[in-house]
């Protein structure tokens, strides 16, 4: 008579065949819970599949985070709303649901340095990665360098089409470095190529009224702003720099308290 294989060894083999290591690691515990709690076969199967799906989503999310090239790891939960009181929690929480990506809308953060623009941009980008969206992050200067290299190689349109397949592009630090006419044109093409096709998160330390200075041409700046904000949530951040909140930079040392 043919020997019947032990269930545990058969399950281990099946998990390896399915490339389901997370399920293999947890199936004994799930089986014990199923027996203790009287799960139906369907409940046990659903619990097994859910464990493996969540593990794969997590691993995929980490891969997307790495591919996005964020400069740091930030989350919405870590954002200090007590320090940055000009931002409404409910607005950020709504953005965190990522409906704007499905709608192919944009998000623009405006405000002085250190007020949380980059933190929020990264946090939304990371949440998008974990939700299954591909994301690309770079500063404005880095995007111009990247597009400039593609233009010189004769493949700018190919690069723009490739980026168009990325649901979310994050552009940080617009306004810190002024652009020449060629750079401004490249930047305009990036924004224009994504208009109503895919989402952009952008942060800038300059109000829209000064973008003409940044891009060296008020007409180009106006056309870019028009496309960017037509379907966008624009959030203005105010206040002092979070990075300097514990620094008393304005204090003048006295003779009694030398430094």
């Amino acid at each position: 008579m043919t020997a019947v294989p032990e269930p545990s060894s058969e399950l281990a083999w099946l998990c390896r065949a399915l490339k389901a290591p997370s399920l293999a690691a947890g199936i004994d515990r799930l089986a014990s819970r199923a027996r203790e709690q009287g799960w139906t076969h369907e409940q046990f199967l659903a619990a097994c599949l859910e464990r493996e799906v969540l593990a794969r989503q997590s691993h995929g999310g980490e891969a997307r985070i790495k591919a996005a090239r964020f400069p740091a790891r930030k989350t919405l939960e870590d954002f200090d709303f007590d320090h940055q009181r000009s931002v409404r929690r409910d607005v950020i929480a709504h953005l965190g649901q990522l409906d704007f990506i499905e709608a192919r809308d944009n998000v623009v953060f405006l405000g002085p340095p250190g007020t949380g623009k980059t933190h929020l941009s990264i946090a939304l980008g990371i949440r998008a990665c974990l939700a299954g969206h591909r994301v690309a992050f770079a500063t404005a200067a880095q995007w111009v360098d990247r597009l400039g290299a593609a233009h010189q190689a004769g493949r700018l349109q190919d690069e723009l089409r490739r980026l168009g397949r990325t649901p979310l592009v994050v552009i940080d630090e617009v306004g810190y470095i002024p652009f020449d006419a060629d750079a401004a044109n490249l930047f305009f093409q990036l924004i224009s190529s994504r208009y109503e096709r895919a989402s952009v998160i952008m942060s800038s330390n300059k109000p829209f009224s000064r973008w003409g200075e940044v891009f060296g041409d008020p007409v180009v700046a106006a056309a870019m702003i028009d496309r960017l904000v037509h379907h966008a949530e624009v959030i203005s951040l105010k206040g002092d720099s979070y990075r300097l909140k514990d620094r008393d930079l304005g204090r003048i040392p006295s003779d009694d308290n030398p430094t």
Side-chain angles (χ1 to χ4, degrees), residues 6 12 33 44-45 63 81 96 112 114 130 132 165 182 205 209 218 243 253:
E6 287 291 325
R33 286 183 59 195
F44 176 60
L45 177 60
F81 287 97
L130 294 174
R165 295 191 291 272
D182 290 339
N205 66 326
S209 60
R243 290 184 286 270

Side-chain angles (χ1 to χ4, degrees), residues 18-52:
L18 290 171
K19 295 183 173 60
S22 179
L23 177 56
I27 197 167
D28 289 340
R29 290 192 298 274
L30 287 173
S32 296
R33 286 183 59 195
R35 285 189 289 269
E36 292 169 1
Q37 299 178 19
W39 292 357
T40 64
H41 298 310
E42 291 84 359
Q43 289 173 320
F44 176 60
L45 177 60
C48 290
L49 294 177
E50 180 184 29
R51 178 184 176 90
E52 186 60 29

Side-chain angles (χ1 to χ4, degrees), residues 106-121:
N106 304 320
V107 180
V108 182
F109 295 110
L110 303 175
T115 50
K117 304 182 299 298
T118 298
H119 184 132
L120 291 171
S121 297

Side-chain angles (χ1 to χ4, degrees), residues 56-75:
R56 293 188 182 191
Q57 287 178 340
S58 176
H59 294 156
E62 290 302 321
R64 285 185 289 271
I65 289 170
K66 184 177 180 180
R69 298 187 176 183
F70 296 108
R73 187 109 181 195
K74 305 288 185 181
T75 68

Side-chain angles (χ1 to χ4, degrees), residues 237-258:
L237 295 91
K238 302 177 178 64
D240 298 327
S241 170
Y242 180 82
R243 290 184 286 270
L244 302 180
K245 69 185 182 75
D246 296 322
R247 305 283 187 88
D248 190 4
L249 300 182
R251 181 175 58 85
I252 299 175
S254 65
D255 293 337
D256 296 332
N257 188 24

Side-chain angles (χ1 to χ4, degrees), residues 141-189:
Q142 289 169 337
W143 280 117
V144 167
D145 288 344
R146 177 172 170 177
L147 295 174
H151 178 65
Q152 290 180 351
R155 53 179 181 81
L156 176 60
Q157 295 307 314
D158 290 339
E159 180 71 4
L160 291 173
R161 280 192 291 270
R162 192 182 69 79
L163 286 170
R165 295 191 291 272
T166 301
L168 177 60
V169 160
V170 183
I171 306 172
D172 197 28
E173 297 183 353
V174 174
Y176 287 88
I177 300 174
F179 296 128
D180 59 23
D182 290 339
N185 179 58
L186 291 171
F187 207 84
F188 173 78
Q189 289 192 63

Side-chain angles (χ1 to χ4, degrees), residues 101 103-105 164 166-167 191-199:
I101 298 178
R104 301 173 184 175
D105 292 346
T166 301
I191 299 302
S192 182
S193 69
R194 300 185 66 80
Y195 176 60
E196 296 187 333
R197 296 184 182 93
S199 296

